[in-house]
Every structure is written in structure tokens, then in C-alpha cells.
Amino acid sequence: MSEAEILSLVDVGLYKDAAAAIDSLSHPNKSLRVLRAHLEEHVGSITHARAAAEALLREGLPASDKARCYDVIARAAMSHGQVEPGLKAMRSALALAAQAQSPKLEARLLFSNAEAHLHWLNIERAAQEIPKLRRACLASGDSYSLIGLHTLLAEIQAKKGVAAAARLS
């Protein structure tokens, strides 16, 4: 299966199929190995995803692939309660995405960052990230990031409503 076909599987959300396709390749290139680490976070073990991302960072990767690796590391750290190391890794991911000059990657990482803030920090920190995410979504035209923005906005509003109802009781 070609890299383009694997990427199309990811684009339609068939992560397990994309991971299996990468696994079936005898010598996947570095970008596909980075993608596989990202997919591992969703269809396998976040611990294995982090280990793969950390190993890939020791190889010569372009800024965009390094950014994706740091995103995996950040999310893995935060999911294990390591908030400060997770935030540091996310800052590295965002800086590398800016360096890579990829509006789509920046938008996706800003979405990942805002989502991480919402799930592992608090509503207010996540809400502070929304304007940057909105600008990045508009600049990139990336539908995935735009859908993520609206999902986050809905989740933030729902959580605020739950908190308001709790205070009234």
C-alpha cells in the first residue's frame, strides 16, 4: 500500500487499518514510522506510542515529524499525570510546527494542545487557547481542525453548564 493510500485511511478515521498497513511494510520511511507512533496512541498503548516517539526523536527528522513526536509525548505524559513535562513537550511541538511552516500541522497541534488543556488541566486554560486555534483553523482551511474547534467549544460550554448547575444545587 502506498503512503498516499495510508494517509487517506487516516483522513477518514480508519486508524487501525492505517496502522496495520504501516505494519505490513518491510521498511516504512521515517514519516510513516512517526505516523505509526501517533496511531499507536489511538489504537494501541499510549506507553508504546511515547516510547516509539522518543526513539524517533533520536533519528534525523524534519521539524514537522519532530513536532508530531513531541505531540505524542505530550499527550502520553499528560495522560499519566505528568502535566509539566507534557506542557513542555507540547510547547516544543508547537515551536517545531511553526518552524516547519505548515499551517495544517500548526492547526492540528493547536487543537491537540487545547484538547489537552481541557481534559487534563481546566476549562479556563482550554478556553484561552480557542482564539489561537480559531485563527489557525481559518489560516489553514483544515477541516479536521475546524471540526475539532467546534467540538471543543461544545464540550467547554457543556462543562460550564454542568458546573453552573452544580453551584445551584
Side-chain angles (χ1 to χ4, degrees):
M1 183 174 282
S2 73
E3 185 170 348
E5 291 170 317
I6 292 170
L7 293 173
S8 70
L9 290 173
V10 173
D11 285 343
V12 296
L14 297 173
Y15 293 168
K16 193 169 241 173
D17 293 341
I22 294 169
D23 292 343
S24 73
L25 299 173
S26 57
H27 297 292
N29 64 37
K30 288 179 185 178
S31 289
L32 285 176
R33 290 174 38 224
V34 169
L35 176 60
R36 183 61 180 91
H38 172 75
L39 293 171
E40 183 67 21
E41 177 186 354
H42 297 284
V43 300
S45 160
I46 196 152
T47 303
H48 289 117
R50 181 179 186 167
E54 288 172 341
L56 283 161
L57 282 174
R58 291 190 286 275
E59 299 181 23
L61 296 174
S64 59
D65 285 342
K66 284 181 185 177
R68 289 180 182 97
C69 286
Y70 276 113
D71 179 49
V72 170
I73 292 166
R75 296 177 66 76
M78 288 185 169
S79 74
H80 286 104
Q82 302 166 337
V83 175
E84 284 308 315
L87 290 174
K88 182 179 177 186
M90 187 59 74
R91 284 190 297 274
S92 295
L94 291 169
L96 286 160
Q99 182 183 336
Q101 298 181 345
S102 170
K104 179 179 175 180
L105 177 60
E106 275 193 83
R108 289 192 179 196
L109 290 179
L110 283 166
F111 165 65
S112 180
N113 181 51
E115 183 182 45
H117 277 78
L118 181 60
H119 295 159
W120 291 299
L121 294 172
N122 59 52
I123 296 169
E124 291 76 22
R125 293 276 300 268
Q128 290 172 353
E129 301 299 316
I130 295 299
K132 286 184 276 189
L133 175 56
R134 181 177 284 122
R135 284 190 298 277
C137 288
L138 293 174
S140 71
D142 180 41
S143 59
Y144 177 88
S145 301
L146 190 58
I147 291 167
L149 166 68
H150 288 285
T151 303
L152 283 173
L153 287 170
E155 190 173 345
I156 288 169
Q157 290 305 314
K159 287 184 176 187
K160 283 182 177 179
V162 170
R167 276 184 253 153
L168 293 174
S169 62

